[in-house]
Amino acid sequence: GLGRWFDVRSGEATTLIVSGLYFFSLLASYGVLRPVREAMGLSGGADKLPWLFTGTMIAMILVNPAFAWLVTRTRRRVFVPTVYAVSIACLLGLWLAFESVPKSREIWIAYAFYVFVSVFNLFVVSVFWGFMADLWRLEQAKRLYGVLGAGGTSGMIVGPWLATWLPARIGSVNLIFVSVAFLCVALCCIAFLIARHGVDTPRDSTASSGEDRHAATRGTGGASDWFRGFSLVARRPYLRWIAAYVLLHGAIGTFLYFQQGNLVDATIHDRNQRTMLFATIDLWSQSLTVFVQVFL
């Protein structure tokens, strides 16, 4: 069993396998959508990518407060599956829009798709890790999160692999259905885990009085927490260097991303071919990442 290869103890194997399948399905879903997103982002030319980045930032700024509010006020057993159900509904709505609008206006649906998938990736992955934090104790997490991460990495290989050959057969827009199928598998895993463990928010399980509820939700996203974070970065050199590293990493990655977009925009003009190229790039980069992590 798993215990022979990993430090999996009695009663953990089933939950670990289902959690790994959940993460695999989630990242496979995103791995299928990501090449489509990159191709959609070039619909109006590579020069529009900076505006799409700006639109994505604005969308995240608008969505994040509502997301944080729901996290602190909604039962986990309701909130977690709802996030994925809403994501499925949005993806199907975007597919319907692609099929319904005239070709002359399709570019706006493509841009909406680009922004949605960028926001989708941020929130559905954060929901996964928050859910895992409810399932596993700290000691278990130290032993088992590596196995869960391997499930996600496998999904990020399988998703792009499917996207390297499916667009030529079904069209890049119809990859939305492949992504939705993976999300449905993730929803089934969530339902199983909730039924098995009765997961809920700490507020619901431990805080019964108004004072306890206030203590359980205190310090979760208020304005003072933002300023406290900036103050810590300003006072501590270690945090300042981390912030500088993240800033430079993001700037370099963004510059290279724009250059990649310019090259693809100048050389490939068919959306399906662009999708397959981006999927091939993702497939190789994820495979090389696994090789480096395991062997180097």
PDB file of all heavy atoms in Angstrom, residues 33-45 49 52 98 106-107 109-111 113-114 172-173 176 271 274-275 278:
ATOM      1  N   LEU A  33      -7.297  24.618 -19.678  1.00  0.00           N
ATOM      2  CA  LEU A  33      -7.761  25.973 -19.985  1.00  0.00           C
ATOM      3  C   LEU A  33      -6.623  26.945 -20.271  1.00  0.00           C
ATOM      4  O   LEU A  33      -6.795  27.877 -21.065  1.00  0.00           O
ATOM      5  CB  LEU A  33      -8.573  26.516 -18.802  1.00  0.00           C
ATOM      6  CG  LEU A  33      -9.945  25.916 -18.532  1.00  0.00           C
ATOM      7  CD1 LEU A  33     -10.556  26.559 -17.308  1.00  0.00           C
ATOM      8  CD2 LEU A  33     -10.862  26.082 -19.738  1.00  0.00           C
ATOM      9  N   ARG A  34      -5.481  26.753 -19.642  1.00  0.00           N
ATOM     10  CA  ARG A  34      -4.425  27.743 -19.750  1.00  0.00           C
ATOM     11  C   ARG A  34      -3.953  27.971 -21.188  1.00  0.00           C
ATOM     12  O   ARG A  34      -3.819  29.137 -21.604  1.00  0.00           O
ATOM     13  CB  ARG A  34      -3.252  27.341 -18.844  1.00  0.00           C
ATOM     14  CG  ARG A  34      -2.078  28.286 -18.922  1.00  0.00           C
ATOM     15  CD  ARG A  34      -1.091  27.995 -17.838  1.00  0.00           C
ATOM     16  NE  ARG A  34       0.227  28.498 -18.177  1.00  0.00           N
ATOM     17  CZ  ARG A  34       1.223  28.632 -17.309  1.00  0.00           C
ATOM     18  NH1 ARG A  34       1.048  28.279 -16.049  1.00  0.00           N
ATOM     19  NH2 ARG A  34       2.392  29.090 -17.687  1.00  0.00           N
ATOM     20  N   PRO A  35      -3.687  26.932 -21.995  1.00  0.00           N
ATOM     21  CA  PRO A  35      -3.292  27.207 -23.386  1.00  0.00           C
ATOM     22  C   PRO A  35      -4.383  27.915 -24.176  1.00  0.00           C
ATOM     23  O   PRO A  35      -4.087  28.744 -25.050  1.00  0.00           O
ATOM     24  CB  PRO A  35      -3.006  25.815 -23.953  1.00  0.00           C
ATOM     25  CG  PRO A  35      -2.804  24.932 -22.772  1.00  0.00           C
ATOM     26  CD  PRO A  35      -3.660  25.496 -21.692  1.00  0.00           C
ATOM     27  N   VAL A  36      -5.638  27.589 -23.879  1.00  0.00           N
ATOM     28  CA  VAL A  36      -6.743  28.282 -24.546  1.00  0.00           C
ATOM     29  C   VAL A  36      -6.730  29.754 -24.153  1.00  0.00           C
ATOM     30  O   VAL A  36      -6.918  30.645 -25.003  1.00  0.00           O
ATOM     31  CB  VAL A  36      -8.095  27.632 -24.182  1.00  0.00           C
ATOM     32  CG1 VAL A  36      -9.233  28.296 -24.945  1.00  0.00           C
ATOM     33  CG2 VAL A  36      -8.078  26.139 -24.455  1.00  0.00           C
ATOM     34  N   ARG A  37      -6.521  30.019 -22.864  1.00  0.00           N
ATOM     35  CA  ARG A  37      -6.450  31.405 -22.400  1.00  0.00           C
ATOM     36  C   ARG A  37      -5.355  32.181 -23.132  1.00  0.00           C
ATOM     37  O   ARG A  37      -5.566  33.321 -23.567  1.00  0.00           O
ATOM     38  CB  ARG A  37      -6.178  31.448 -20.893  1.00  0.00           C
ATOM     39  CG  ARG A  37      -6.102  32.848 -20.313  1.00  0.00           C
ATOM     40  CD  ARG A  37      -5.438  32.875 -18.961  1.00  0.00           C
ATOM     41  NE  ARG A  37      -4.010  32.598 -19.049  1.00  0.00           N
ATOM     42  CZ  ARG A  37      -3.173  32.711 -18.019  1.00  0.00           C
ATOM     43  NH1 ARG A  37      -3.618  33.065 -16.823  1.00  0.00           N
ATOM     44  NH2 ARG A  37      -1.889  32.439 -18.175  1.00  0.00           N
ATOM     45  N   GLU A  38      -4.162  31.562 -23.264  1.00  0.00           N
ATOM     46  CA  GLU A  38      -3.057  32.259 -23.927  1.00  0.00           C
ATOM     47  C   GLU A  38      -3.406  32.570 -25.379  1.00  0.00           C
ATOM     48  O   GLU A  38      -3.093  33.659 -25.890  1.00  0.00           O
ATOM     49  CB  GLU A  38      -1.786  31.405 -23.875  1.00  0.00           C
ATOM     50  CG  GLU A  38      -1.372  30.942 -22.488  1.00  0.00           C
ATOM     51  CD  GLU A  38      -1.119  32.082 -21.526  1.00  0.00           C
ATOM     52  OE1 GLU A  38      -1.047  33.249 -21.959  1.00  0.00           O
ATOM     53  OE2 GLU A  38      -0.993  31.820 -20.330  1.00  0.00           O
ATOM     54  N   ALA A  39      -4.050  31.622 -26.054  1.00  0.00           N
ATOM     55  CA  ALA A  39      -4.453  31.859 -27.439  1.00  0.00           C
ATOM     56  C   ALA A  39      -5.516  32.948 -27.522  1.00  0.00           C
ATOM     57  O   ALA A  39      -5.477  33.800 -28.422  1.00  0.00           O
ATOM     58  CB  ALA A  39      -4.967  30.558 -28.056  1.00  0.00           C
ATOM     59  N   MET A  40      -6.456  32.943 -26.574  1.00  0.00           N
ATOM     60  CA  MET A  40      -7.493  33.979 -26.556  1.00  0.00           C
ATOM     61  C   MET A  40      -6.897  35.355 -26.316  1.00  0.00           C
ATOM     62  O   MET A  40      -7.361  36.363 -26.862  1.00  0.00           O
ATOM     63  CB  MET A  40      -8.522  33.670 -25.461  1.00  0.00           C
ATOM     64  CG  MET A  40      -9.320  32.405 -25.671  1.00  0.00           C
ATOM     65  SD  MET A  40     -10.429  32.516 -27.087  1.00  0.00           S
ATOM     66  CE  MET A  40     -11.265  30.933 -26.959  1.00  0.00           C
ATOM     67  N   GLY A  41      -5.854  35.417 -25.489  1.00  0.00           N
ATOM     68  CA  GLY A  41      -5.235  36.706 -25.189  1.00  0.00           C
ATOM     69  C   GLY A  41      -4.617  37.372 -26.395  1.00  0.00           C
ATOM     70  O   GLY A  41      -4.419  38.596 -26.406  1.00  0.00           O
ATOM     71  N   LEU A  42      -4.311  36.589 -27.422  1.00  0.00           N
ATOM     72  CA  LEU A  42      -3.710  37.136 -28.645  1.00  0.00           C
ATOM     73  C   LEU A  42      -4.748  37.428 -29.724  1.00  0.00           C
ATOM     74  O   LEU A  42      -4.377  37.760 -30.854  1.00  0.00           O
ATOM     75  CB  LEU A  42      -2.666  36.157 -29.196  1.00  0.00           C
ATOM     76  CG  LEU A  42      -1.451  35.890 -28.294  1.00  0.00           C
ATOM     77  CD1 LEU A  42      -0.552  34.838 -28.933  1.00  0.00           C
ATOM     78  CD2 LEU A  42      -0.674  37.178 -28.036  1.00  0.00           C
ATOM     79  N   SER A  43      -6.029  37.322 -29.388  1.00  0.00           N
ATOM     80  CA  SER A  43      -7.081  37.507 -30.395  1.00  0.00           C
ATOM     81  C   SER A  43      -7.018  38.873 -31.057  1.00  0.00           C
ATOM     82  O   SER A  43      -7.287  39.018 -32.249  1.00  0.00           O
ATOM     83  CB  SER A  43      -8.461  37.302 -29.763  1.00  0.00           C
ATOM     84  OG  SER A  43      -8.612  35.978 -29.298  1.00  0.00           O
ATOM     85  N   GLY A  44      -6.664  39.896 -30.293  1.00  0.00           N
ATOM     86  CA  GLY A  44      -6.589  41.241 -30.849  1.00  0.00           C
ATOM     87  C   GLY A  44      -5.180  41.727 -31.047  1.00  0.00           C
ATOM     88  O   GLY A  44      -4.967  42.929 -31.282  1.00  0.00           O
ATOM     89  N   GLY A  45      -4.201  40.819 -30.939  1.00  0.00           N
ATOM     90  CA  GLY A  45      -2.807  41.198 -31.092  1.00  0.00           C
ATOM     91  C   GLY A  45      -2.080  41.207 -29.758  1.00  0.00           C
ATOM     92  O   GLY A  45      -2.679  41.432 -28.700  1.00  0.00           O
ATOM     93  N   LEU A  49      -1.984  42.626 -24.609  1.00  0.00           N
ATOM     94  CA  LEU A  49      -1.709  41.858 -23.389  1.00  0.00           C
ATOM     95  C   LEU A  49      -1.544  42.732 -22.142  1.00  0.00           C
ATOM     96  O   LEU A  49      -2.037  42.360 -21.068  1.00  0.00           O
ATOM     97  CB  LEU A  49      -0.468  40.978 -23.594  1.00  0.00           C
ATOM     98  CG  LEU A  49      -0.646  39.765 -24.513  1.00  0.00           C
ATOM     99  CD1 LEU A  49       0.674  39.049 -24.729  1.00  0.00           C
ATOM    100  CD2 LEU A  49      -1.687  38.802 -23.955  1.00  0.00           C
ATOM    101  N   LEU A  52      -4.878  43.408 -20.826  1.00  0.00           N
ATOM    102  CA  LEU A  52      -5.487  42.222 -20.213  1.00  0.00           C
ATOM    103  C   LEU A  52      -4.925  41.986 -18.813  1.00  0.00           C
ATOM    104  O   LEU A  52      -5.652  41.573 -17.905  1.00  0.00           O
ATOM    105  CB  LEU A  52      -5.260  40.998 -21.100  1.00  0.00           C
ATOM    106  CG  LEU A  52      -6.038  40.990 -22.420  1.00  0.00           C
ATOM    107  CD1 LEU A  52      -5.638  39.785 -23.267  1.00  0.00           C
ATOM    108  CD2 LEU A  52      -7.542  40.964 -22.160  1.00  0.00           C
ATOM    109  N   PHE A  98     -19.432  32.165 -26.819  1.00  0.00           N
ATOM    110  CA  PHE A  98     -18.624  31.960 -28.026  1.00  0.00           C
ATOM    111  C   PHE A  98     -19.485  31.437 -29.180  1.00  0.00           C
ATOM    112  O   PHE A  98     -19.273  31.806 -30.337  1.00  0.00           O
ATOM    113  CB  PHE A  98     -17.498  30.965 -27.750  1.00  0.00           C
ATOM    114  CG  PHE A  98     -16.275  31.579 -27.145  1.00  0.00           C
ATOM    115  CD1 PHE A  98     -15.848  31.207 -25.870  1.00  0.00           C
ATOM    116  CD2 PHE A  98     -15.531  32.517 -27.834  1.00  0.00           C
ATOM    117  CE1 PHE A  98     -14.712  31.769 -25.307  1.00  0.00           C
ATOM    118  CE2 PHE A  98     -14.388  33.089 -27.277  1.00  0.00           C
ATOM    119  CZ  PHE A  98     -13.981  32.708 -26.009  1.00  0.00           C
ATOM    120  N   GLU A 106     -16.626  38.471 -31.127  1.00  0.00           N
ATOM    121  CA  GLU A 106     -16.073  37.355 -30.352  1.00  0.00           C
ATOM    122  C   GLU A 106     -14.840  37.756 -29.560  1.00  0.00           C
ATOM    123  O   GLU A 106     -14.539  37.149 -28.522  1.00  0.00           O
ATOM    124  CB  GLU A 106     -15.728  36.207 -31.303  1.00  0.00           C
ATOM    125  CG  GLU A 106     -15.399  34.910 -30.596  1.00  0.00           C
ATOM    126  CD  GLU A 106     -15.052  33.807 -31.579  1.00  0.00           C
ATOM    127  OE1 GLU A 106     -13.929  33.837 -32.123  1.00  0.00           O
ATOM    128  OE2 GLU A 106     -15.899  32.921 -31.806  1.00  0.00           O
ATOM    129  N   ILE A 107     -14.122  38.774 -30.021  1.00  0.00           N
ATOM    130  CA  ILE A 107     -12.898  39.180 -29.350  1.00  0.00           C
ATOM    131  C   ILE A 107     -13.157  39.585 -27.902  1.00  0.00           C
ATOM    132  O   ILE A 107     -12.338  39.321 -27.018  1.00  0.00           O
ATOM    133  CB  ILE A 107     -12.207  40.328 -30.125  1.00  0.00           C
ATOM    134  CG1 ILE A 107     -10.836  40.631 -29.513  1.00  0.00           C
ATOM    135  CG2 ILE A 107     -13.079  41.578 -30.161  1.00  0.00           C
ATOM    136  CD1 ILE A 107     -10.036  41.619 -30.330  1.00  0.00           C
ATOM    137  N   ILE A 109     -15.507  38.368 -25.928  1.00  0.00           N
ATOM    138  CA  ILE A 109     -15.691  37.135 -25.157  1.00  0.00           C
ATOM    139  C   ILE A 109     -14.329  36.490 -24.884  1.00  0.00           C
ATOM    140  O   ILE A 109     -14.086  35.961 -23.800  1.00  0.00           O
ATOM    141  CB  ILE A 109     -16.608  36.156 -25.915  1.00  0.00           C
ATOM    142  CG1 ILE A 109     -17.910  36.842 -26.333  1.00  0.00           C
ATOM    143  CG2 ILE A 109     -16.915  34.944 -25.038  1.00  0.00           C
ATOM    144  CD1 ILE A 109     -18.704  37.404 -25.184  1.00  0.00           C
ATOM    145  N   ALA A 110     -13.426  36.554 -25.879  1.00  0.00           N
ATOM    146  CA  ALA A 110     -12.080  36.007 -25.696  1.00  0.00           C
ATOM    147  C   ALA A 110     -11.356  36.726 -24.565  1.00  0.00           C
ATOM    148  O   ALA A 110     -10.690  36.098 -23.733  1.00  0.00           O
ATOM    149  CB  ALA A 110     -11.287  36.120 -26.991  1.00  0.00           C
ATOM    150  N   TYR A 111     -11.494  38.047 -24.517  1.00  0.00           N
ATOM    151  CA  TYR A 111     -10.844  38.814 -23.453  1.00  0.00           C
ATOM    152  C   TYR A 111     -11.467  38.499 -22.089  1.00  0.00           C
ATOM    153  O   TYR A 111     -10.767  38.386 -21.076  1.00  0.00           O
ATOM    154  CB  TYR A 111     -10.938  40.302 -23.747  1.00  0.00           C
ATOM    155  CG  TYR A 111     -10.048  40.766 -24.878  1.00  0.00           C
ATOM    156  CD1 TYR A 111     -10.270  41.978 -25.510  1.00  0.00           C
ATOM    157  CD2 TYR A 111      -8.985  39.985 -25.331  1.00  0.00           C
ATOM    158  CE1 TYR A 111      -9.455  42.412 -26.558  1.00  0.00           C
ATOM    159  CE2 TYR A 111      -8.170  40.395 -26.362  1.00  0.00           C
ATOM    160  CZ  TYR A 111      -8.408  41.607 -26.977  1.00  0.00           C
ATOM    161  OH  TYR A 111      -7.598  42.029 -27.997  1.00  0.00           O
ATOM    162  N   PHE A 113     -12.834  35.692 -21.293  1.00  0.00           N
ATOM    163  CA  PHE A 113     -12.342  34.351 -20.970  1.00  0.00           C
ATOM    164  C   PHE A 113     -10.940  34.435 -20.373  1.00  0.00           C
ATOM    165  O   PHE A 113     -10.638  33.756 -19.378  1.00  0.00           O
ATOM    166  CB  PHE A 113     -12.330  33.502 -22.240  1.00  0.00           C
ATOM    167  CG  PHE A 113     -11.875  32.081 -22.032  1.00  0.00           C
ATOM    168  CD1 PHE A 113     -12.779  31.101 -21.689  1.00  0.00           C
ATOM    169  CD2 PHE A 113     -10.544  31.731 -22.177  1.00  0.00           C
ATOM    170  CE1 PHE A 113     -12.367  29.783 -21.489  1.00  0.00           C
ATOM    171  CE2 PHE A 113     -10.117  30.434 -21.986  1.00  0.00           C
ATOM    172  CZ  PHE A 113     -11.035  29.457 -21.642  1.00  0.00           C
ATOM    173  N   TYR A 114     -10.074  35.247 -20.955  1.00  0.00           N
ATOM    174  CA  TYR A 114      -8.705  35.399 -20.462  1.00  0.00           C
ATOM    175  C   TYR A 114      -8.706  35.861 -19.005  1.00  0.00           C
ATOM    176  O   TYR A 114      -8.014  35.290 -18.152  1.00  0.00           O
ATOM    177  CB  TYR A 114      -7.959  36.408 -21.339  1.00  0.00           C
ATOM    178  CG  TYR A 114      -6.500  36.579 -20.981  1.00  0.00           C
ATOM    179  CD1 TYR A 114      -5.513  35.915 -21.696  1.00  0.00           C
ATOM    180  CD2 TYR A 114      -6.101  37.416 -19.940  1.00  0.00           C
ATOM    181  CE1 TYR A 114      -4.168  36.065 -21.375  1.00  0.00           C
ATOM    182  CE2 TYR A 114      -4.765  37.568 -19.602  1.00  0.00           C
ATOM    183  CZ  TYR A 114      -3.806  36.894 -20.330  1.00  0.00           C
ATOM    184  OH  TYR A 114      -2.492  37.047 -19.998  1.00  0.00           O
ATOM    185  N   SER A 172     -10.438  24.522 -30.070  1.00  0.00           N
ATOM    186  CA  SER A 172      -9.929  24.965 -28.775  1.00  0.00           C
ATOM    187  C   SER A 172     -11.042  25.396 -27.824  1.00  0.00           C
ATOM    188  O   SER A 172     -10.967  25.155 -26.618  1.00  0.00           O
ATOM    189  CB  SER A 172      -8.928  26.113 -28.963  1.00  0.00           C
ATOM    190  OG  SER A 172      -9.530  27.200 -29.659  1.00  0.00           O
ATOM    191  N   VAL A 173     -12.109  26.017 -28.352  1.00  0.00           N
ATOM    192  CA  VAL A 173     -13.195  26.465 -27.481  1.00  0.00           C
ATOM    193  C   VAL A 173     -13.865  25.280 -26.793  1.00  0.00           C
ATOM    194  O   VAL A 173     -14.253  25.359 -25.618  1.00  0.00           O
ATOM    195  CB  VAL A 173     -14.223  27.286 -28.285  1.00  0.00           C
ATOM    196  CG1 VAL A 173     -15.459  27.591 -27.437  1.00  0.00           C
ATOM    197  CG2 VAL A 173     -13.605  28.589 -28.768  1.00  0.00           C
ATOM    198  N   ILE A 176     -13.267  23.633 -23.233  1.00  0.00           N
ATOM    199  CA  ILE A 176     -13.994  24.021 -22.020  1.00  0.00           C
ATOM    200  C   ILE A 176     -14.724  22.820 -21.427  1.00  0.00           C
ATOM    201  O   ILE A 176     -14.755  22.635 -20.197  1.00  0.00           O
ATOM    202  CB  ILE A 176     -14.983  25.163 -22.335  1.00  0.00           C
ATOM    203  CG1 ILE A 176     -14.218  26.470 -22.585  1.00  0.00           C
ATOM    204  CG2 ILE A 176     -15.998  25.348 -21.202  1.00  0.00           C
ATOM    205  CD1 ILE A 176     -15.088  27.625 -23.035  1.00  0.00           C
ATOM    206  N   ARG A 271      -6.096  29.990 -34.187  1.00  0.00           N
ATOM    207  CA  ARG A 271      -6.285  29.845 -32.742  1.00  0.00           C
ATOM    208  C   ARG A 271      -5.988  28.437 -32.259  1.00  0.00           C
ATOM    209  O   ARG A 271      -5.351  28.245 -31.213  1.00  0.00           O
ATOM    210  CB  ARG A 271      -7.708  30.235 -32.353  1.00  0.00           C
ATOM    211  CG  ARG A 271      -7.980  30.080 -30.839  1.00  0.00           C
ATOM    212  CD  ARG A 271      -9.454  30.235 -30.539  1.00  0.00           C
ATOM    213  NE  ARG A 271      -9.890  31.592 -30.750  1.00  0.00           N
ATOM    214  CZ  ARG A 271     -11.184  31.949 -30.799  1.00  0.00           C
ATOM    215  NH1 ARG A 271     -12.130  31.024 -30.691  1.00  0.00           N
ATOM    216  NH2 ARG A 271     -11.506  33.205 -30.988  1.00  0.00           N
ATOM    217  N   ARG A 274      -2.283  27.896 -32.153  1.00  0.00           N
ATOM    218  CA  ARG A 274      -1.703  28.628 -31.012  1.00  0.00           C
ATOM    219  C   ARG A 274      -1.949  27.874 -29.707  1.00  0.00           C
ATOM    220  O   ARG A 274      -1.052  27.746 -28.876  1.00  0.00           O
ATOM    221  CB  ARG A 274      -2.310  30.028 -30.933  1.00  0.00           C
ATOM    222  CG  ARG A 274      -1.813  30.998 -31.989  1.00  0.00           C
ATOM    223  CD  ARG A 274      -2.542  32.334 -31.880  1.00  0.00           C
ATOM    224  NE  ARG A 274      -1.967  33.325 -32.780  1.00  0.00           N
ATOM    225  CZ  ARG A 274      -2.430  34.559 -32.919  1.00  0.00           C
ATOM    226  NH1 ARG A 274      -3.490  34.943 -32.213  1.00  0.00           N
ATOM    227  NH2 ARG A 274      -1.835  35.401 -33.748  1.00  0.00           N
ATOM    228  N   THR A 275      -3.176  27.363 -29.554  1.00  0.00           N
ATOM    229  CA  THR A 275      -3.500  26.606 -28.342  1.00  0.00           C
ATOM    230  C   THR A 275      -2.590  25.389 -28.203  1.00  0.00           C
ATOM    231  O   THR A 275      -2.055  25.112 -27.116  1.00  0.00           O
ATOM    232  CB  THR A 275      -4.970  26.168 -28.367  1.00  0.00           C
ATOM    233  OG1 THR A 275      -5.819  27.322 -28.432  1.00  0.00           O
ATOM    234  CG2 THR A 275      -5.320  25.370 -27.115  1.00  0.00           C
ATOM    235  N   PHE A 278       0.998  26.516 -27.187  1.00  0.00           N
ATOM    236  CA  PHE A 278       1.087  26.879 -25.770  1.00  0.00           C
ATOM    237  C   PHE A 278       0.969  25.638 -24.881  1.00  0.00           C
ATOM    238  O   PHE A 278       1.632  25.545 -23.835  1.00  0.00           O
ATOM    239  CB  PHE A 278      -0.003  27.892 -25.416  1.00  0.00           C
ATOM    240  CG  PHE A 278       0.266  29.289 -25.907  1.00  0.00           C
ATOM    241  CD1 PHE A 278      -0.636  29.938 -26.730  1.00  0.00           C
ATOM    242  CD2 PHE A 278       1.429  29.954 -25.539  1.00  0.00           C
ATOM    243  CE1 PHE A 278      -0.394  31.223 -27.184  1.00  0.00           C
ATOM    244  CE2 PHE A 278       1.686  31.243 -25.987  1.00  0.00           C
ATOM    245  CZ  PHE A 278       0.764  31.881 -26.814  1.00  0.00           C
TER     246      PHE A 278
END
